[in-house]
Each structure stands twice: as structure tokens, then as C-alpha cells.
Amino acid sequence: MSRRSGHLRLGAFLYPSGHHIAAWRHPDARADAGVDFRHYVQLARAAEAAKFDLVFLADGVGTRGDNVDFLSRTAHSYVAQFEPITLLSALAAVTERIGLVGTASTSFNEPYHIARKFASLDHISGGRAGWNLVTSSSEHEAKNFNRDKHFDHAERYARAAEFAEVTAGLWDSWEDDAFVRNKAEGRFFDPAKRHVLDHKGRFFQVKGPLNVARAPQGHPVQAGSSEAGRDLAAQTAEVIFTAQQTLQDAIDFYADVKGRMQTYGRDPDDLKIMPGVFPIVGRTEDEAQEKFEQLQSLVDPKVGLALVSGLTGGFDLSGYPLDGPIPDLPETNASKSRQTLMIEIARRENLTIRQLYLRVAGARGHWQLVGTPAQIADQLEERFVNYGADGFNVMPPLLPTGLNDFVELVLPELRRRGLFREDYEGRTLRENLGLRRPAHRVR
Amino acid sequence: MSRRSGHLRLGAFLYPSGHHIAAWRHPDARADAGVDFRHYVQLARAAEAAKFDLVFLADGVGTRGDNVDFLSRTAHSYVAQFEPITLLSALAAVTERIGLVGTASTSFNEPYHIARKFASLDHISGGRAGWNLVTSSSEHEAKNFNRDKHFDHAERYARAAEFAEVTAGLWDSWEDDAFVRNKAEGRFFDPAKRHVLDHKGRFFQVKGPLNVARAPQGHPVQAGSSEAGRDLAAQTAEVIFTAQQTLQDAIDFYADVKGRMQTYGRDPDDLKIMPGVFPIVGRTEDEAQEKFEQLQSLVDPKVGLALVSGLTGGFDLSGYPLDGPIPDLPETNASKSRQTLMIEIARRENLTIRQLYLRVAGARGHWQLVGTPAQIADQLEERFVNYGADGFNVMPPLLPTGLNDFVELVLPELRRRGLFREDYEGRTLRENLGLRRPAHRVR
């Protein structure tokens, strides 16, 4: 394969005070960022001024467990945050060009509601909406929705696949030019361009049509995480948010998913793979390291331990010595990719429990880079030109300062290398990401 | 009872091109208003500049039926509109003081999602959110949510009552001062101020807690329609949107609902009754009448007939002579209050089918006033001072011009009479409506 040219894509993954687990305790942090709308306006506008493709919001439909002592020591447990669809809709009104991608689970939702809200957001924003499809794997979420436990692995993915099929079908309820709005003849839409889905499947019976016109983007951009399954992603996703630690893993993952797309008759260019990256940027290596250590010093050991337990599938490590190795873990019904990833990190780097929690506290399993702008740009460039990524979902350790650091220090370096845009190419998220606008299924 | 003093409350009930069934065909209408976000920004800002208490959005989770020829001739069938929660969230970002009240049905939703979205909107807007609780009574909606038919009347209301109970409980998941965010001690919240709902009822099992901090208003304002049942409204609603044709009906309804509140231990001041009013304002009577007739002339007879059928419970009137009387209608499972209202109007005013459709085309069963500013103010004042209403939900026939007419012509008249505010009294919707902020249930 020849050396790759072109621009990489960038997402700004917003998390209230920042992605580092102790970010909220940092002197520069707004500890109440999760309910401070002006904070998010500032972040979204900064990312837009820097020409990021999109802002991204994760989600969960519950707080993270019953370990109240742990929960009470962290801002990372979805205890006091905005809900993504409401937040992105509000941000749509105060931005012009940046994409707005939010997570919503298929496990405890109805496709009609999800299809409708993202189509509505696409209209409000003039074609900038994206939906990150995930499945819910926590009992704490299931218990908020009439269930004792979450759906098992296979069931979750089967439901998610059918959910995505229904949603895509609903987004084609109307052809692009269905609404003729002919005042003289009194004809609001052309009946021939209205399509009733009439879906009858294993999980859902949804008649349609959707009560929103076809979206400016045709369909809002469909994002997925690698956790939702490589096959599901290869089949339906247009952007994939993932976590790979090493260059080789990234290249393998990239090749595997793009390869699988051909099974489903899709062009590999129709999917952008954007791994998360957690960058701590300093003008010098020492400055970067100092910034990192200041955050690390704020990690409460009780939080670190509980965090590793959570990431390894809920297994309680509190009985094991903090400075001993990670024990063998039983297989659980929780997210397998995340669990495997944690254990791989620990084994490869020969970490103790304490070292593991400090290792994953910040990026929580994502790719962590601590260095100068040139060092960070080198790493990003290496992954991009070697087909390990189409771009990156940037996870600033601290907000807003970590985003500003990336914009002011790393972006000029990427631009100098011709790796990132000077201005937006288009008006819609699809245009900027280089994704085709889907034709209506009957065309 | 002594003559009433004080200010009346006003809502701006937004509907794409206006509430008149033929509004979209009017030369001044934006026929694509339903997907024109700037149109809504302009309306919300105009209502806010005029010091309206709130903007209000109705909703339906489906298009209105299978009669495609009818649907295609009207903009009033929820075929191409924004979804209310996304739209209100976007409007929150571009307004400062006006309340944002949206409709969401309890029939095909989960209380956790609804509680969360409205709490999030309340945070985003700084305490301006309101939820209009309705039940869904159309098969066309049910069929989008895995069902062949809608829930029957009693079941809908029982589900709605439990839904409201769960939602209120989730809004008290956290005490107001639960989030201490103590950076030095590493304590994000006080565990003693977190409350697990653990609801186990007939329709819902919801553990909680909600993953949003307590709302600025304590609870977002709880609105209801008279269709959702007088008892449910008396038990849970803080604002009620209703439709009464005559002064006596309005007074009777007002006394009945406020009386029922005492059964539930509530103070009558804790509920504001705001009937809909459809005003056609002219500087002279002739000008008002001309405006009205211009709109009426745009009603397609096929639309009028189908509209009456819809409002009378889906009964097909197309076999009956247009200029003959309304036949006796069979009782249906549809909204009884609406059906009864239609028939009462027809009988009282001795209308033919054609006259009925022209009679209800504009306000669709709401109170219709055609006249000068003084005449309209007289009518509103009469209802208000005689305890037939605490305020009104204004349904402009045409938008934006109908809202502008009300603001420029009727509001000065109401202000001259001391009936409407010069400026907002407070920052939150509750403060402006004069509703108490609910204390947390454990306090």
C-alpha cells in the first residue's frame, strides 16, 4: 500500500470537566461543568473555530452502580450531566458548521423515538446530526427500564441490528422532494413519495411513516463503537469510535472492519474509523509530564480501584493487594472488548493493580499520548498514514484547557504537515467527513 | 366572589404555519415552517420580547391516519415537523426568560427517558422547562410502537398516573444541595443526599436514581390537558391546557378542577388553567372578518370533511350530505372530551357538516375570537375576572403575522387594563407563572 495522503478527521469528545478521572478536582476545572450549559457552548464553539468535524457525547441510561462511596468520589459516573439529545439540540442553535454526534442505546429505546429525534436534530442543525448506536450492558441501566438484568450479549446485538434496520427504514419514509407544498393546488405532499415501512420483525413492529421530513443528510450519520460488534459496525456504521493501544492493533482492526464491509456490499470509504486519543500536550516533554502527573496525583485510590473493577466487568478487586498482579478474571456478560482490553494492557505492560488504575485512569482504556506537539503529531500521523485510522476522537484530559492545548499546539503542527483542514469543505457533517449522502431506497 | 385582580398568564402555542387548518396556503405563510428552525427562533424571541410566560408545542408520535389524500392536502397532520424536545432544547439556547413547554405522551414512552430529558432541558434553560403530559389515543401511533391498537381509556389513564408518579420520584433522586463538588476532599456528592426510588408498580419498575442533578425548578413544570382526565390533572398538573367554548363552561370547568384539587390536598393556586384561544385580530371588525374569511376561503372541502371525521372519533362522514345535519355518532375508544365537544358545538349552533367544518377548521375545537383588540380583550378579561381561566394559550391562526397582531394590538389593550405584565417577575417558568418550587420530598 502506498503512503496515504489527504486529511484526517477529528472529533472533540466532550466530557464535563475532562476525560481524566480526577479532572474535576483540578484547580482549572469547573467542577459543575456537567450542568453548565455555557461551558458546553464555549467548548463546541472552540472546536468549531478549530474546524473539528464533530463534537461527540457518550451516554448511559443510569448511574454507574450501587457503590455509592465510589460514585460519590467521582464526576465520571453520569450522576449529574446533561442528556445528549437535549444538549446537542441546544448546541445546534449556537453553532453553524460542526457535526453533533450523540450516543443513544438501542436496548431500552424505541426505534421510532430515536429515528425521529435524530432526524429532527438533523433538520434543526441543517444536516449536522449523528447517532452513535450502542447497546446497554449494565444491570443498573436495565433496572431503570422494567428489567432485573440487561439483555445478554447475543440478544443485545440482534436487537441493535434490527433497531438500526428500522431506523434506516423510517428515515426513508419520505422522498427528498415529497413535500411539494403547492399552495395554489392545496397539495402539501405528493402521496406517491410517502412510504409506509410496515416493519414486522422479531423485536419490533413499526408501521411508520416517520412524522419528520427526510433529513438534510438523507440519514443522520450513523456512528457505532467497536463494542457494538465489528459485524454490526461493518454492516451499518459510517463512523466508528474505537480504542486501540498499539499501531499494529489499530492496523489489524482497520483492515478487519473495512474487509468485513465488502461482505455487506459496502465501499470501505463509506466508514471512517476514528479511535479515541487522550492527549496531554506540553510545549516541552517536561511540561507535558508535569501536567500529567498533576492529574494523576489527584486520583483517589478508592476511585482507581473501583474504576478498574468496573472496566474489567464488575469484578471486585478490593480483596487483592494493590501492588500485586491482576488476578485471572471470570468471564462475565459485560462488554467483552473492554474487559479484554484491560487485561491485555495489564499483561503486556506487566502492571500491578495500582499501576493499572493509574495507567487507565485518564483515558479509561483509550490511547494515551503525553508529549510535545511534534511528538503527538508524529503518533497521529503514523496511525493515519499506515491505515490504522481515518481520524481521531480527541479526548481532552481537562476541559476547556486540554481542548485549547490541542487546538493551539497540535493542530498547527498537523496543518503544517498537510494532515488537517484549514476550513470546512462542506455544510453538512457528511460533506465534511467525506461520506456519501444516502439515496432514498426506492431511487 | 369578588372581582378578580392580578395578571393573567399567556402561552404562545406554536404550530408551523399557524393554527388555521389552511394557514400554510396563505400568501404570508412559510409553507415549510415545520422544518424551518429560524422561523421558530423568530417566534420564540417575539413571544419573549412580549413577555409571554411560555411557548407551547403539541405532539403526536405518528402521522394522522391512512387517509393519504387528506393528509397530503394539509400541513396539520404531523407529517413534517420538528420533534418538541429537540426543538425546545434548541430554542433554550437562543432565549433567556420564556418558558419552554412540550408535549410527550406517556403511552409509548419510559418514565426514565422523559424525566431525564425534561430535567436536562430545565438545566440547559436555567429553569424554564415544562412537560405537557398526554396519553395517546390513536391506532396510528400505537402501530409505531409494537402494538395493533392503542391502550383503552382506563388503561391509558392508569398508566399515565403511574408514569407521573415515577417521573416526580425520579426528579427527587438528588437533593438540591447533593452535589458538594469538594475538590480538596475528593467528594463529588454527599451520599446521604442521593435517593433511590425503587419503584415497583403495575406498569413500571424503575430503580433510579436519575442521572441528572435536581432541576433548577425542583421539578420541571407539569402541564396536562383536560383530555388526560380532570382527576389526573387535579392530582398532578400545574398548568392545564383546555378547550371551553362558553363562559359558563369555562367557569364550571375551572370550579370543578380546582375543587377536585382539594381532594388531593393541593392548593388551587398550584394549578393555572389556561384555555386555548384562537384570535383573529383586526384594527376594525371588518378587517378582522376579512382576515378570517381569507383563511376560510382556503379550506379545501376534502380537508374540512376529513377534519370533522377525525375530531369526532374517526367516524367517516363522507357518505352524508355536506349541507345536512351531523348524524348520531357511535361511541368510540377515542378521546371522549374532543368528540363530545364537536357534537355539542354542532347541536348548539345547529350546524350542517359543512358549517361545522368551517366552524372548527381554524381553532379545531378551541375558543375562536374574531374582532378588534378591545373586543378580544373584553372576552379574555371576562373569562379571567369571572374565574373561568387563569390565563390563555394563544393559538395564532397564521404565523408569524397572527402572533405579531396579538402582540402589537391586543397586548397593549390588556396592559392598559392592568391585566398583563410589563416585564417578567422572575427567572424561571415557575416564578413567572406564580407556582411554588416543590420542596424535595424528604425535606
Side-chain angles (χ1 to χ4, degrees):
Chain A
M1 234 176 233
S2 62
R3 189 182 188 286
R4 181 181 197 175
S5 63
H7 288 171
L8 52 80
R9 321 289 168 188
L10 290 179
F13 184 169
L14 305 184
Y15 202 90
S17 307
H19 283 272
H20 193 282
I21 189 77
W24 72 275
R25 298 184 65 189
H26 192 282
D28 294 344
R30 296 180 194 174
D32 63 351
V35 290
D36 182 349
F37 178 57
R38 289 162 307 177
H39 172 69
Y40 281 93
V41 173
Q42 183 188 342
L43 296 175
R45 285 181 170 162
E48 183 172 71
K51 318 300 179 195
F52 273 72
D53 291 83
L54 56 93
V55 295
F56 172 72
L57 297 174
D59 195 40
V61 282
T63 57
R64 297 245 164 127
D66 292 328
N67 182 344
V68 179
D69 184 63
F70 160 63
L71 292 174
S72 75
R73 293 172 189 274
T74 167
H76 269 66
S77 44
Y78 290 90
V79 284
Q81 293 182 214
F82 296 120
E83 182 279 333
I85 292 172
T86 46
L87 179 56
L88 292 177
S89 301
L91 292 176
V94 293
T95 54
E96 298 281 339
R97 305 291 286 274
I98 196 163
L100 304 161
V101 182
T103 300
S105 171
T106 56
S107 299
F108 310 112
N109 260 313
E110 292 286 340
Y112 198 91
H113 289 313
I114 292 294
R116 189 176 176 218
K117 286 188 171 67
F118 281 97
S120 183
L121 177 61
D122 206 50
H123 280 284
I124 289 170
S125 64
R128 297 186 285 132
W131 167 37
N132 183 42
L133 180 161
V134 301
T135 68
S136 297
S137 60
S138 123
E139 288 194 5
H140 306 293
E141 292 172 290
K143 286 177 179 166
N144 293 327
F145 297 92
N146 310 319
R147 292 179 58 90
D148 288 331
K149 18 169 131 194
H150 62 79
F151 298 101
D152 75 20
H153 202 263
E155 193 83 349
R156 279 209 309 279
Y157 288 17
R159 182 183 163 98
E162 190 182 326
F163 197 114
E165 185 191 336
V166 175
T167 306
L170 287 171
W171 284 332
D172 279 353
S173 293
W174 305 91
E175 295 180 43
D176 288 307
D177 55 355
F179 293 94
V180 293
R181 302 184 179 98
N182 184 322
K183 289 185 181 184
E185 292 176 15
R187 194 61 93 167
F188 195 70
F189 67 79
D190 177 351
K193 295 183 173 174
R194 168 186 182 267
H195 299 276
V196 176
L197 180 63
D198 216 1
H199 174 90
K200 290 191 172 74
R202 184 177 150 215
F203 296 93
F204 303 107
Q205 289 173 46
V206 181
K207 187 162 182 204
L210 195 67
N211 53 1
V212 181
R214 198 160 193 260
Q217 295 188 99
H219 298 181
V221 170
Q222 177 73 73
S225 69
S226 53
E227 288 173 59
R230 292 183 182 198
D231 257 318
L232 182 59
Q235 196 175 346
T236 63
E238 299 176 297
V239 175
I240 195 167
F241 301 116
T242 176
Q244 270 83 38
Q245 290 294 319
T246 69
L247 175 62
Q248 195 54 52
D249 286 350
I251 291 170
D252 292 348
F253 177 84
Y254 189 101
D256 178 43
V257 172
K258 297 247 173 171
R260 287 177 202 234
M261 290 177 72
Q262 287 159 11
T263 319
Y264 298 105
R266 297 183 66 205
D267 182 328
D269 283 344
D270 290 345
L271 168 65
K272 307 301 173 190
I273 295 181
M274 296 175 66
V277 59
F278 175 91
I280 306 220
V281 194
R283 281 174 181 77
T284 63
E285 273 186 58
D286 281 354
E287 189 185 286
Q289 203 58 45
E290 256 169 49
K291 280 187 186 175
F292 186 46
E293 277 159 20
Q294 185 181 11
L295 282 164
Q296 294 288 75
S297 72
L298 296 169
V299 180
D300 181 333
K302 288 182 184 168
V303 169
L305 200 59
L307 185 74
V308 169
S309 296
L311 289 173
T312 52
F315 189 74
D316 183 9
L317 289 163
S318 63
Y320 297 86
L322 271 184
D323 295 310
I326 313 289
D328 289 332
L329 299 177
E331 181 151 321
T332 72
N333 192 13
S335 167
K336 284 193 208 312
S337 59
R338 194 68 99 163
Q339 182 177 359
T340 308
L341 189 68
M342 286 302 102
I343 295 165
E344 275 174 11
I345 293 172
R347 299 266 182 275
R348 190 174 59 238
E349 303 182 13
N350 198 25
L351 303 179
T352 63
I353 291 175
R354 189 195 304 275
Q355 287 167 332
L356 180 62
Y357 87 61
L358 281 173
R359 176 74 179 73
V360 300
R364 291 162 297 140
H366 282 269
W367 185 33
Q368 181 173 287
L369 296 176
V370 183
T372 64
Q375 288 171 333
I376 288 172
D378 284 349
Q379 294 279 310
L380 300 181
E381 182 172 10
E382 184 182 45
R383 293 243 172 147
F384 176 69
V385 299
N386 289 294
Y387 296 91
D390 296 310
F392 303 96
N393 204 14
V394 179
M395 304 167 68
L398 186 64
L399 286 164
T401 58
L403 179 62
N404 297 343
D405 285 349
F406 192 88
V407 168
E408 289 162 19
L409 301 173
V410 180
L411 283 191
E413 187 65 33
L414 291 175
R415 289 195 169 112
R416 201 151 33 236
R417 303 176 187 199
L419 288 167
F420 193 59
R421 65 166 66 88
E422 298 287 340
D423 201 357
Y424 287 110
E425 295 84 19
R427 300 294 314 181
T428 70
L429 176 56
R430 285 186 181 279
E431 287 166 2
N432 289 319
L433 286 173
L435 291 170
R436 285 184 305 119
R437 184 178 189 278
H440 191 279
R441 56 180 60 187
V442 304
R443 293 295 130 196
Chain B
M1 233 177 231
S2 63
R3 189 181 188 285
R4 182 180 195 175
S5 63
H7 288 171
L8 50 81
R9 323 289 168 189
L10 290 179
F13 184 170
L14 306 184
Y15 202 91
S17 306
H19 283 272
H20 193 282
I21 189 76
W24 73 274
R25 298 183 66 189
H26 192 281
D28 294 344
R30 297 180 192 173
D32 63 351
V35 291
D36 182 349
F37 177 57
R38 290 163 305 176
H39 172 69
Y40 280 94
V41 172
Q42 182 188 342
L43 295 177
R45 286 181 169 162
E48 183 171 72
K51 317 302 177 192
F52 273 72
D53 290 83
L54 55 94
V55 294
F56 172 72
L57 298 174
D59 195 39
V61 283
T63 57
R64 299 244 163 126
D66 292 328
N67 182 344
V68 180
D69 183 64
F70 160 61
L71 292 173
S72 76
R73 293 171 189 273
T74 166
H76 269 67
S77 44
Y78 289 91
V79 284
Q81 293 182 215
F82 297 120
E83 182 278 334
I85 292 171
T86 48
L87 179 55
L88 292 177
S89 301
L91 292 176
V94 292
T95 54
E96 298 281 338
R97 305 291 285 275
I98 197 162
L100 304 161
V101 182
T103 300
S105 171
T106 56
S107 299
F108 310 112
N109 261 311
E110 291 287 339
Y112 199 91
H113 289 313
I114 291 294
R116 189 177 176 218
K117 287 189 170 66
F118 281 97
S120 184
L121 177 59
D122 207 49
H123 280 285
I124 289 170
S125 64
R128 298 186 285 132
W131 168 36
N132 184 42
L133 180 162
V134 300
T135 67
S136 297
S137 60
S138 121
E139 287 194 5
H140 307 293
E141 293 172 290
K143 286 176 179 167
N144 293 326
F145 297 93
N146 309 320
R147 293 178 58 89
D148 287 330
K149 23 169 129 190
H150 62 78
F151 298 102
D152 74 23
H153 203 263
E155 194 83 350
R156 281 209 310 277
Y157 288 16
R159 184 183 163 99
E162 190 182 326
F163 197 113
E165 185 190 336
V166 175
T167 306
L170 287 170
W171 284 333
D172 278 354
S173 292
W174 306 91
E175 295 180 42
D176 288 308
D177 56 355
F179 293 93
V180 293
R181 303 184 178 97
N182 184 321
K183 289 184 180 184
E185 292 175 15
R187 193 63 90 168
F188 194 70
F189 67 79
D190 178 351
K193 294 183 174 173
R194 168 186 182 269
H195 299 275
V196 177
L197 180 64
D198 218 1
H199 174 90
K200 289 192 171 75
R202 183 176 151 215
F203 297 93
F204 303 108
Q205 289 172 44
V206 181
K207 187 164 182 203
L210 196 67
N211 54 1
V212 181
R214 198 159 194 265
Q217 296 188 100
H219 298 182
V221 169
Q222 177 73 75
S225 68
S226 53
E227 288 174 59
R230 292 183 182 197
D231 257 319
L232 182 59
Q235 196 175 345
T236 63
E238 299 177 297
V239 174
I240 196 169
F241 301 117
T242 178
Q244 271 83 39
Q245 290 294 321
T246 69
L247 175 62
Q248 194 55 50
D249 285 349
I251 291 171
D252 292 348
F253 177 84
Y254 189 100
D256 178 44
V257 172
K258 297 247 173 171
R260 287 176 201 234
M261 290 177 72
Q262 287 160 9
T263 320
Y264 298 106
R266 297 183 67 206
D267 182 329
D269 282 345
D270 290 346
L271 168 64
K272 307 301 173 190
I273 295 180
M274 296 174 66
V277 60
F278 175 91
I280 306 217
V281 194
R283 282 173 181 78
T284 62
E285 273 185 59
D286 281 354
E287 188 185 287
Q289 203 57 44
E290 258 169 47
K291 281 186 186 175
F292 186 47
E293 277 160 21
Q294 185 181 10
L295 283 164
Q296 294 287 79
S297 72
L298 297 169
V299 180
D300 181 333
K302 287 183 184 167
V303 169
L305 199 59
L307 186 74
V308 169
S309 296
L311 289 172
T312 50
F315 189 75
D316 183 7
L317 289 163
S318 62
Y320 297 84
L322 271 184
D323 294 309
I326 314 289
D328 288 332
L329 300 177
E331 182 151 319
T332 73
N333 193 13
S335 168
K336 285 192 209 311
S337 60
R338 194 68 97 163
Q339 183 177 357
T340 308
L341 190 66
M342 285 302 102
I343 295 164
E344 275 174 11
I345 293 172
R347 298 268 182 275
R348 190 174 57 240
E349 304 183 12
N350 197 25
L351 304 178
T352 64
I353 291 175
R354 189 195 304 275
Q355 286 167 332
L356 179 62
Y357 87 59
L358 281 172
R359 176 73 180 73
V360 300
R364 290 162 297 140
H366 282 269
W367 184 35
Q368 180 173 287
L369 296 176
V370 183
T372 65
Q375 287 171 331
I376 288 173
D378 285 347
Q379 293 278 311
L380 301 181
E381 182 172 10
E382 184 184 43
R383 292 245 172 147
F384 176 68
V385 301
N386 288 295
Y387 296 92
D390 295 311
F392 303 95
N393 204 14
V394 179
M395 304 167 70
L398 186 64
L399 285 165
T401 56
L403 179 62
N404 297 343
D405 285 349
F406 193 87
V407 167
E408 289 162 21
L409 301 173
V410 180
L411 284 191
E413 186 66 33
L414 291 175
R415 289 195 169 112
R416 201 152 31 236
R417 303 177 187 200
L419 289 168
F420 193 59
R421 66 166 65 86
E422 298 288 340
D423 201 359
Y424 287 111
E425 295 84 21
R427 300 295 313 181
T428 69
L429 176 56
R430 283 186 182 282
E431 287 166 2
N432 289 319
L433 286 174
L435 290 170
R436 285 182 308 118
R437 185 179 189 278
H440 191 280
R441 57 180 59 188
V442 305
R443 292 298 130 194

